[in-house]
Structure formats: C-alpha cells, structure tokens
Amino acid sequence: MQTLREFTRKTKRGNILKIVREHYLRDDISCGSDLCQYCFQNEVYELTSGHDIKSSLFKFPHYIVLDTNVVLDQIDVLEEDVLHNVIVLTTVLNEVKHKSSSIYKRLNELIHDRTRNFYVFVNEHHKDTYADREPDETANDRNDRAIRLATKWYDSHLQASQDPKVFQRSGRSVTRVVLLTDDAGNRAKAEAENILVASAAEYVKSLEDFPLLVDKLSLKTFENEKQALPQFPPHLSMKALLEGLRLKKLLQGSFHASRENYLEGSVSVEGYETGILIQGRDSLNRAVEGDLVAVELLPESEWSAPSEIVLEEKNVYADDVPSEERAEEENEMLQQVQTAPVAERTPTGRIVGIVRRKWRQYCGILQPSLIEDTTRHIFVPADRKIPRIRIETRQASKLQNQRIIVTIDSWPRNSRYPHGHFVRSLGPLGNMATENEVILLEHDVPHCKFSEEVLGFLPKMPWSITEEDYAKRVDLRDLYICSVDPPGCTDIDDALHCRELPNGNLEVGVHIADVSHFIRPGNAMDKEAAARGTTVYLVGKRIDMVPELLSSNLCSLVGGVERFAFSCVWEVDREANILDKRFHKSVIKSKRAMTYEEAQALIDDPTQTGEIAKSLRHLNRLAKILKKRRMDNGALVLASPEIRFQVDSETHEPLEVEAKQMRDTNSMVEEFMLLANITVAQHIADEFTECAVLRRHPKPPSTNFDPLVKAARYQGFEVVTDSGLELAHSLDKCVKADNPYFNTMIRILTTRCMMQAVYFISGSLQKEEFFHYGLAADIYTHFTSPIRRYSDIMVHRLLAASIGADSTYAQLLERKSNEELCNNLNYRHKMAQYAGRASVALNTHMFFRGKEEDEEGYVLFVRKNALQVLIPKYGLEGTLYLKGDKDGKDGAERSKSEIIFTFNEEDHTQRCGSVIFHSFDPVTVRLSLDSTNVQHEKLVFRLVKPFIKGFSVETSSEAVEGIAAQPPAKKSKKDKKKK
C-alpha cells in the first residue's frame, strides 16, 4: 500500500517548492506479542506473558509504550532490570536519535538485550498506525498523535486476541497497553481518548516490588522549591542569546571551572588568547564544566586578575541558604583580585546564558546529612570542578562510604546547587578496584569489554604467516633486531637494529608493529580503536585500545617470534648524517626483548662482543650525536616528576614508591623514535599535502613564562624566552654547584609553561604552523606506537598507500572526517594523561596511609597562600598551605599565635618574620595522609625546616628549646576538644 506525503519548502530566493514523497504502508508488520492470534511472527516473541510487574496503578498484566521525553529523561530507570515488555515505536526511536546520540546508543543496547523484552514496532509504516501530518500541526504534535494512535491500536489489537471468557475461567486478567509520558498535554489528550496513561514518576512510584527505583527518577524540581528566593541572575532566553551572539554583543565558548578555586572559572573564546575570566557566584551563574555558554564582556575598567588563592567549598549540607562565612569568603577573594595591578588584569566577563549543556554522569560520595531520616542529600563529586549536587534518595545509610554515580537533571535559579538523581553504586570507598573505576569514569576513558562484533574481526587462532605474506614483504628475519622497553611491557611497538655495511657506513632500522595489517579501515574493530584513541596506563592496570590478542600477542614484537612490521631504514655515515632512507613492510624476528636496564648493562659490559651488543653500542653512539644536534638546533630538554611503584601482585596496593631513573638506553630509543617520526612526517606531508596526519606543538605566549623568569632571576639566572634555542641555552646555564636538583626543577617549571601538543591535518594550517616547539622540528608526526595510539595507525595507512604497500580508500583522503578524528584523539590523549596522573596520586595516597615521614624538598613556586613543594626522593609534589581555614580546622594554633605570611607579588616570595620563602629554596617537610575528607584524601605537607614557632611541626629538640624560651600558651576549649 502506498501513500503520498506532500509538503512545501521555501528556497533561498523565495520560491515555493512543492515536494511529494512516496510513503509505503504495510499490513504484515508483526506486533511481537505471544498473545496475538492475527500477526505472523517471523522471529522469536519479544513481548511475552512471562513478565508481569506489580503496579498499584494498573493491577493487571500490561505492556508499556514509551514517549520520547520518558526515554530522554529516564534512561537510568529504563536500564534497571525492572521494566519488561516495553514497546519502542519508530517515531520515538527517530526522535531520540535526533536529540541525543548517547541516549540513542543506550536505548539500542536495551533493545538488543533479548532478556529485557524491548520491542521496536515500525508504526510509521503500519497501515493502521501511520499518522499523516495535518495542516497547521507542528512536527511535535504530529509525533505525539502518532504515539497515541499506536498505543490505542496496540491495546485494541491485543484485546481482540484475548477471549475474556477464557481468561475469566483461568482466573487471569487481560493484558492491556499503557502509555508513559511526562508531557502533561499529551497525557490529557490520551485520557480523553480512553488510553491508559501515566507519567514516569507516577508509574515508578506505583511499582510495589521496587521501591528504591524512585531514586533513579530524573526530577526537574523538588517539592516546595518555588517558595525559595532566587540565588542567581536569570539566564537570557535562547532567542535573546542567539540575537546577542549575532550582533557580537555576546561571546560564545566552553566553560572551564577552576580546580583550585570554586568561585572562579574561564571561558575559551576564539580570539582571546587566555580566555575570558569569570569570578564570583553571580558571574558563574550556574555554568558547569564543559558547558557551551554565552558571555557578556565587562568594561575594561571592571576587568580583574586570576586569583592565586586556593579556595575550597566546605561544610556544605542539604540547605540552599548561603552562610555569612561563604559570602565573606567570596567578597574577600573578589576584593583581592579587583585591587590587582592593571598589567595583570585580563578580559573578564559574566555568563548570561547556557547555549548547550554538557552534563554527564559524575562519580563521588554522599555527604552525611545533619537531619535524620531525610531523603534530601548533598552529593560531593570527586572532580573538584563540578559543583555539589542535590539528590533525593531513600537508601542513604546503605550508600554511606560508597562511591556512587549521579547525573544532573536541572539547575533552577532558586537553588544553590544543581538537582540530580542517583544512578548506581560503584563499590566501597578506598577499594582499589572501585577507585580505578572512578578514575576511568571521571576521565571519560572507554573501558568496557570489547563487543562480540569487534572480536569477530580478530584473526582466527592458531594464526601463522603464510607464503603469500612472505612474498609481499621484505624478509628481515636474519637481522639482529632487538627491542628495549620498560620492565613488564607486553605491548612492544618498536624494535631496532644497526649493522655495518661493506662501504663503511651503517644501516639503522626502526621496525614498528604492523597493526594496520590486522585492523582494516571501517570495520567494527577500527571504529572502536578510533573511538578509544589511545591505550590508557594506570598503575598496575592497562586499558587497551585494541583487543589483547593483538596488543600483547600478534602485533607485539616479542623476542624469538616472527612478526609483521613496518620498517623505516636509513643508511647513515659515522657522524649520523642520513645518506638514504626507505620504507617497507617486513617480516622480522626479534632476537631479544630487553628492558632499559638490561640493554644498558649489555652496552657497558666490555666482555659482551655479540652482534646485539655491537648493534646497541652503535645505536647508543649515534643517538648521542643526534641528540646533540637536536639540542644545538633549539630542542628543549624538559622534565616532570615521575614515580615508579612496586605493586603487590595480589592486593594491587603499592609496596614501594621511588622516582623513575633515566638511562642512556632511554635516550637511545627516544632519539631513533623521534628520527622515524620526523622522517615519516616529511614523507607523508609531501605525498598527501591536504590530508597528512601531523602533530604540532605551538609556541607558548610570552606571559606563560613569567613565573619561570621571575623565579630564575631571583636565583641569579636570566632565562631568555624569545626563541626555543635561546630558552634551551638559558636552561643549560641554570646550574648550581650546591644544589644538583636545581636544573631539574627549572626544567619542571618550564614544562608547566608549555602549550599542549596536538594532532592536526596538513591541509588545515599553513606550513609555518606545523612547527613542533619542544622538539625544534619543522614537521612531526606519530608513527612508532600503533598498538597504543590510533594516530599512528592513520599514519601507517598513509605511508603504506604512498609506497604502494596497501590500497587507499575514500575516508583516508577526506580532510573533514580526519579533522574530526584528530579532535577526538587530542581529547582522548589529554584524558589519558590526566587519568594516569590521577592513578599515580591514588597510589601515592595509599602508600602514605598510616605513615609519617620527614623528607627534604624544594619550593617549586610560591602562591598567595601556599608553597608548591617538590620532594625529589619520591618525585612528587604537593601544596604547603600558609593560611589556616577561618574555622580553625587546620590552622587554629597559627591564628592564635598571630603567624602572618606576607606575599610579595613583585618577586613572588612569602615572608614570615625573618623567614623568606623563594622558589627553589630547600625545605624539610613532614608528609602524612589526611583522611578526614574521605572523598578527597590528600597528602599533607607540614613545614619542619626552616622552623617557624607556632607554625612548623615541632621536633623533640625544637620543642625543648621552645619550652625554655617562653611559657606555654593557653589553649582554648576548642583546641582541647581537638586533642
């Protein structure tokens, strides 16, 4: 059966076009129910009579039809294994797909789960349920009518299949169909049409066997909410926002909250180098990290400077009333920054509306409530950038000391915090598995198991190299190739060789795992790898980008096993000058897989004269020449404090922590990986001028270097930052004979000044912008780690296509799709870095649990109310606060003895009496773990030396001197209670 759909459309020139489309209707579409006597069921019944659910609203068996708004708002409820026999209309499915891709994906997973009995009914092509759009009817009203029509048809269709007399004799009730909608207008129309209908909240509350499911309801407002006074300025309407943006009165950008000051944030806006500063609760105006917001720029006379204050929100309970203390904190912070020198002020604005929310699910804990038996609670997110969230839950006692997930539903003007609902519990607080799960979720790391569809594209085992494969590749199995990696590495991406040629030159080869041979473009495994972007390394745990069969087996260049590789081979003279280069796909057989330590021992042992030892010595000598050449060219040697943990194999808890050691072999491998990356980058950029995947590192703005320049100047060194070469030479000169760690600290500070390196497509930028500042390379890419980086797989495909080793395909040469891939890779790479750091912090905290240690350290930099201290022994850094909290929580003694620290903005120093703290000054601190805040356990740094009476931790000798010098101070009742 065919029907015609007619509609008109106005062209840009003002002409009216009449468009006629054919729409086919059928009478053989099944209803999917095992009760039906009329429909031809061409598959297993999806709607069965074996899943009755007890509802006080509908006391008979029933199927459920979902409205679009219920799916969009209540997906967390639907995902619980409670509701069965659910009919999903194609009208609803298409609306959800259009409005939210993430919820559409979650709904599809429910539909494909056969145990849940979610049935897709193609109502748009069924002759009895298709609803043509009426004149002057909106698309939304037409869809609502189509949903009601389908529900009514389903109900009458099933009733016709059920003989009431038969059911009466058996004592069973007839199965009906219920529509769930949160649209009040749609509900009223459904009731008028005698359709069984309820809101999602009404239905969930009526479920007798699942009272706790109510916690997962998305509630836009809480009871008695409208009586509260407004606490924020109103947001502009979407129409006003779009008009303001069009007229350039408003600016648009992504909001980024400060991790250290809850009253501060910034908005990244094109054309503003450092973004637009936002300060104060009213100006932040309910923006949440990641939201796309509209900003009104303040007059220049009202611009402010970023505060260097560390400010955390404390003592928050489930009330909405801002306390005097909080208001005082905010005013004090704003007064300090408003009196900042004009030179330090930056563009400042206020948020006037939200263009698009970027809310997600958040991990955290419930804060214990002061009121007994209340259902209202405050959720404290693990991410300090996210505000507290108000939720309603009836299982607070069960959720105490649990990590839970909550999602935000709304943020009304009259609520201090956004409103949300409980999603699920992750596990006990402090449990290693739970905390790792939190890290992965908070950093948006995809870590679910690989789907059957993805695994279906893996090679069938046992796998072996065929004669056809040998014929297509260069056979390098006889070469003395070896790999050098960290201990315990199983995903070995790269291997090296070096041999003498008859003409006296050297042949150097870098051999990279040929992952692109196994992952073909466009299949499910390729899409999954592209979405993940990178392998993520936590302490003692790895989240692979590709399935383990590839990462640790078939692609990994393990010793003594034949493997596919993509080889980059150079002919060089004895001074490491490149005379020739070639690329080819190969078959290799690594003679040995070594650790950096083993390779170093082999190089250093003069009794070792084998081919591998010779190869390594040649490589090591050439690497030193290459490195010196890079340094002379202006490449930077940067540093960051890195920690290595020894982890218990059973409990996965850290047994020992130490700073990572760097050997010559680390640098040796690094130099040849850099050389391979640069060589490949030059080649693919020449071959594919518009679509080569490259990596650039922008030069930082000069203001980024201010803290470094000031700190070095006080120490008597002048750091010149006009070019990378001048900066590199300046850093080399920053050496102190009495402090061997000084140069490392200077380089750590320099690292903090750098911009983030990013992937990009060659056709999107001018060649001058390809420059990699840190490496002083005109062009650069990533080729050497395809097991753990998708960017390298893209580069392998380009290189293979350029040498005829593999065929090209349309998407490989599409600039737009590759730019989207690069944006995702940049995001995934950044999140992987943050997740790795969070894992190190977690394990550091677990190591120091129950311990107190006095360690020597250095002041890395000075803030307005804190010192950032670096501990070389452990390679970790932390904050030593110089100002106690106003409630005396961790600074009562300081305030009573009138310990005052004065911050000098000119030379970035802190003074207390005769003691002055500068960057790089040596200090002794006591390290301990503060577990009073179970959500954010933190490593506490307390000053031991230099000794400041009333502030420093008193050791036994200092305590004796203090007693002799003056009588003991009287303690207040508050102090006695603390004891």
Coordinates of all heavy atoms in Angstrom, one line a residue, residues 516 566 680 683-685 687-688 691-694 761-762 781 791-809 811-814 818:
S516 N 48.1 -2.0 11.3 CA 47.2 -1.7 10.3 C 46.9 -2.9 9.4 O 45.9 -3.0 8.7 CB 47.6 -0.5 9.4 OG 48.8 -0.8 8.8
F566 N 56.4 -2.7 10.1 CA 56.5 -1.6 9.1 C 57.9 -1.0 9.4 O 58.1 -0.4 10.5 CB 55.4 -0.6 9.2 CG 55.1 0.1 8.0 CD1 53.8 0.5 7.7 CD2 56.0 0.4 7.0 CE1 53.4 1.2 6.5 CE2 55.7 1.0 5.8 CZ 54.4 1.4 5.6
V680 N 59.1 10.1 8.6 CA 57.8 9.7 8.1 C 56.9 10.9 7.9 O 56.2 11.0 6.9 CB 57.1 8.7 9.0 CG1 55.6 8.5 8.6 CG2 57.8 7.4 9.0
H683 N 57.7 12.6 4.7 CA 57.3 11.8 3.5 C 55.8 11.9 3.2 O 55.4 12.2 2.1 CB 57.7 10.4 3.7 CG 57.3 9.5 2.6 ND1 58.1 9.3 1.5 CD2 56.2 8.7 2.4 CE1 57.5 8.5 0.6 NE2 56.4 8.1 1.2
I684 N 55.0 11.7 4.3 CA 53.5 11.8 4.1 C 53.0 13.2 3.8 O 52.1 13.3 3.0 CB 52.7 11.1 5.2 CG1 53.0 11.9 6.5 CG2 53.1 9.6 5.4 CD1 52.0 11.4 7.7
A685 N 53.7 14.2 4.3 CA 53.3 15.6 4.0 C 53.6 15.9 2.6 O 52.8 16.7 1.9 CB 54.0 16.5 4.9
E687 N 53.6 13.6 0.1 CA 52.8 12.8 -0.7 C 51.3 13.2 -0.6 O 50.5 13.1 -1.6 CB 52.9 11.3 -0.3 CG 54.2 10.7 -0.5 CD 54.5 10.4 -2.0 OE1 53.5 10.1 -2.7 OE2 55.6 10.5 -2.5
F688 N 50.9 13.6 0.6 CA 49.5 14.0 0.8 C 49.4 15.4 1.4 O 49.3 15.6 2.7 CB 48.8 13.0 1.8 CG 48.8 11.6 1.3 CD1 49.8 10.7 1.8 CD2 47.9 11.1 0.4 CE1 49.8 9.4 1.4 CE2 48.0 9.8 0.0 CZ 48.9 8.9 0.5
C691 N 46.0 16.0 3.5 CA 45.3 15.2 4.5 C 46.3 14.4 5.3 O 45.9 13.3 5.9 CB 44.3 14.2 3.8 SG 45.1 13.2 2.5
A692 N 47.6 14.8 5.4 CA 48.5 14.1 6.2 C 48.2 14.3 7.7 O 47.9 15.5 8.1 CB 50.0 14.5 5.9
V693 N 48.3 13.3 8.5 CA 48.1 13.4 10.0 C 49.4 13.8 10.6 O 50.4 13.0 10.6 CB 47.5 12.1 10.6 CG1 47.4 12.2 12.1 CG2 46.2 11.7 9.9
L694 N 49.5 15.0 11.2 CA 50.7 15.5 11.8 C 50.5 15.9 13.2 O 49.3 16.0 13.7 CB 51.2 16.7 10.9 CG 51.5 16.4 9.5 CD1 51.9 17.7 8.7 CD2 52.6 15.4 9.3
I761 N 45.5 18.1 10.7 CA 45.6 17.7 9.3 C 46.3 18.7 8.5 O 46.1 19.9 8.6 CB 44.2 17.5 8.7 CG1 43.4 16.4 9.5 CG2 44.2 17.1 7.2 CD1 44.1 15.0 9.5
S762 N 47.3 18.3 7.7 CA 48.2 19.2 7.0 C 47.5 20.3 6.2 O 47.9 21.5 6.2 CB 49.1 18.5 6.1 OG 48.4 17.7 5.2
T781 N 55.2 13.9 13.4 CA 54.0 13.1 13.5 C 54.3 11.9 14.4 O 55.3 11.8 15.0 CB 53.6 12.5 12.1 OG1 52.2 12.0 12.2 CG2 54.5 11.4 11.6
S791 N 46.4 7.5 16.2 CA 47.0 8.4 15.2 C 48.1 7.7 14.4 O 48.2 7.9 13.2 CB 47.7 9.6 16.0 OG 48.6 9.1 17.0
D792 N 48.8 6.8 15.0 CA 49.9 6.1 14.4 C 49.3 5.1 13.3 O 50.0 4.9 12.3 CB 50.8 5.3 15.4 CG 51.4 6.2 16.4 OD1 50.6 7.0 17.0 OD2 52.6 6.2 16.7
I793 N 48.2 4.5 13.6 CA 47.5 3.6 12.6 C 47.1 4.5 11.4 O 47.3 4.0 10.2 CB 46.3 3.0 13.2 CG1 46.7 2.0 14.3 CG2 45.5 2.2 12.1 CD1 45.5 1.3 15.0
M794 N 46.6 5.7 11.6 CA 46.3 6.6 10.5 C 47.5 6.9 9.6 O 47.5 6.9 8.4 CB 45.7 7.8 11.0 CG 44.3 7.6 11.7 SD 43.7 9.1 12.5 CE 43.2 10.2 11.1
V795 N 48.6 7.1 10.3 CA 49.9 7.5 9.6 C 50.4 6.2 8.9 O 50.9 6.4 7.7 CB 50.9 8.0 10.7 CG1 52.3 8.1 10.0 CG2 50.5 9.3 11.2
H796 N 50.3 5.1 9.5 CA 50.7 3.8 8.8 C 50.0 3.6 7.5 O 50.5 3.2 6.5 CB 50.5 2.6 9.7 CG 51.6 2.4 10.7 ND1 52.1 1.1 10.9 CD2 52.3 3.2 11.5 CE1 53.1 1.2 11.8 NE2 53.2 2.5 12.2
R797 N 48.7 3.9 7.5 CA 47.8 3.7 6.3 C 48.3 4.7 5.2 O 48.3 4.4 4.0 CB 46.4 3.9 6.7 CG 45.8 2.8 7.5 CD 44.4 3.0 8.0 NE 43.9 1.9 8.7 CZ 42.8 1.9 9.5 NH1 42.2 3.0 9.7 NH2 42.4 0.8 10.1
L798 N 48.6 6.0 5.6 CA 49.0 7.0 4.6 C 50.4 6.5 4.0 O 50.6 6.6 2.8 CB 49.2 8.3 5.3 CG 47.8 9.1 5.7 CD1 48.1 10.2 6.6 CD2 47.2 9.6 4.4
L799 N 51.3 6.1 4.9 CA 52.6 5.7 4.4 C 52.5 4.5 3.5 O 53.2 4.4 2.5 CB 53.5 5.4 5.6 CG 55.0 5.0 5.3 CD1 55.7 6.2 4.6 CD2 55.7 4.7 6.6
A800 N 51.7 3.5 3.9 CA 51.5 2.3 3.1 C 50.9 2.6 1.7 O 51.4 2.1 0.7 CB 50.6 1.3 3.8
A801 N 50.0 3.5 1.7 CA 49.4 3.9 0.4 C 50.4 4.7 -0.5 O 50.4 4.5 -1.7 CB 48.2 4.8 0.7
S802 N 51.3 5.4 0.2 CA 52.3 6.2 -0.6 C 53.3 5.4 -1.2 O 53.9 5.7 -2.3 CB 52.9 7.3 0.3 OG 53.8 6.7 1.2
I803 N 53.6 4.2 -0.6 CA 54.7 3.3 -1.2 C 54.1 2.1 -1.9 O 54.8 1.2 -2.3 CB 55.7 2.8 -0.1 CG1 54.9 2.0 0.9 CG2 56.4 4.0 0.6 CD1 55.9 1.3 2.0
G804 N 52.8 2.1 -2.1 CA 52.1 1.0 -2.8 C 52.0 -0.3 -2.0 O 51.7 -1.3 -2.6
A805 N 52.2 -0.2 -0.7 CA 52.1 -1.4 0.1 C 50.7 -1.8 0.5 O 50.4 -2.9 1.0 CB 52.9 -1.3 1.4
D806 N 49.8 -0.8 0.4 CA 48.4 -1.0 0.7 C 47.5 -0.1 -0.2 O 48.0 1.0 -0.6 CB 48.1 -0.8 2.2 CG 46.9 -1.5 2.7 OD1 46.1 -2.0 1.9 OD2 46.7 -1.6 3.9
S807 N 46.3 -0.4 -0.3 CA 45.4 0.4 -1.2 C 44.9 1.6 -0.3 O 44.7 1.5 0.9 CB 44.2 -0.4 -1.7 OG 43.5 -1.0 -0.7
T808 N 44.6 2.7 -1.0 CA 44.0 3.8 -0.3 C 42.4 3.6 -0.3 O 41.9 2.7 -0.9 CB 44.3 5.1 -1.1 OG1 43.8 6.2 -0.3 CG2 43.7 5.2 -2.5
Y809 N 41.8 4.5 0.4 CA 40.3 4.4 0.5 C 39.8 5.9 0.7 O 40.6 6.7 1.1 CB 39.8 3.5 1.6 CG 40.4 3.8 3.0 CD1 39.6 4.5 3.9 CD2 41.6 3.4 3.4 CE1 40.1 4.8 5.2 CE2 42.1 3.7 4.6 CZ 41.3 4.4 5.5 OH 41.8 4.7 6.8
Q811 N 37.9 7.6 2.8 CA 38.0 8.4 4.1 C 39.4 8.8 4.4 O 39.6 9.8 5.1 CB 37.4 7.5 5.2 CG 37.1 8.4 6.5 CD 36.5 7.6 7.6 OE1 36.1 6.5 7.4 NE2 36.5 8.2 8.8
L812 N 40.4 8.0 4.0 CA 41.8 8.3 4.3 C 42.2 9.7 3.7 O 43.0 10.3 4.3 CB 42.7 7.2 3.7 CG 44.2 7.3 4.0 CD1 44.5 7.0 5.4 CD2 45.0 6.3 3.1
L813 N 41.5 10.1 2.7 CA 41.9 11.3 2.0 C 40.9 12.4 2.2 O 40.9 13.5 1.6 CB 42.0 11.1 0.5 CG 43.0 9.9 0.1 CD1 43.0 9.8 -1.4 CD2 44.4 10.2 0.6
E814 N 39.9 12.2 3.1 CA 38.9 13.2 3.4 C 39.3 14.1 4.6 O 39.5 13.6 5.7 CB 37.5 12.5 3.8 CG 36.7 12.1 2.7 CD 35.4 11.5 3.1 OE1 35.0 11.7 4.3 OE2 34.7 10.8 2.3
N818 N 38.9 13.4 8.8 CA 40.2 13.2 9.5 C 40.4 14.3 10.6 O 41.0 14.0 11.6 CB 41.4 13.2 8.5 CG 41.5 11.9 7.8 OD1 40.9 10.9 8.2 ND2 42.1 11.9 6.6

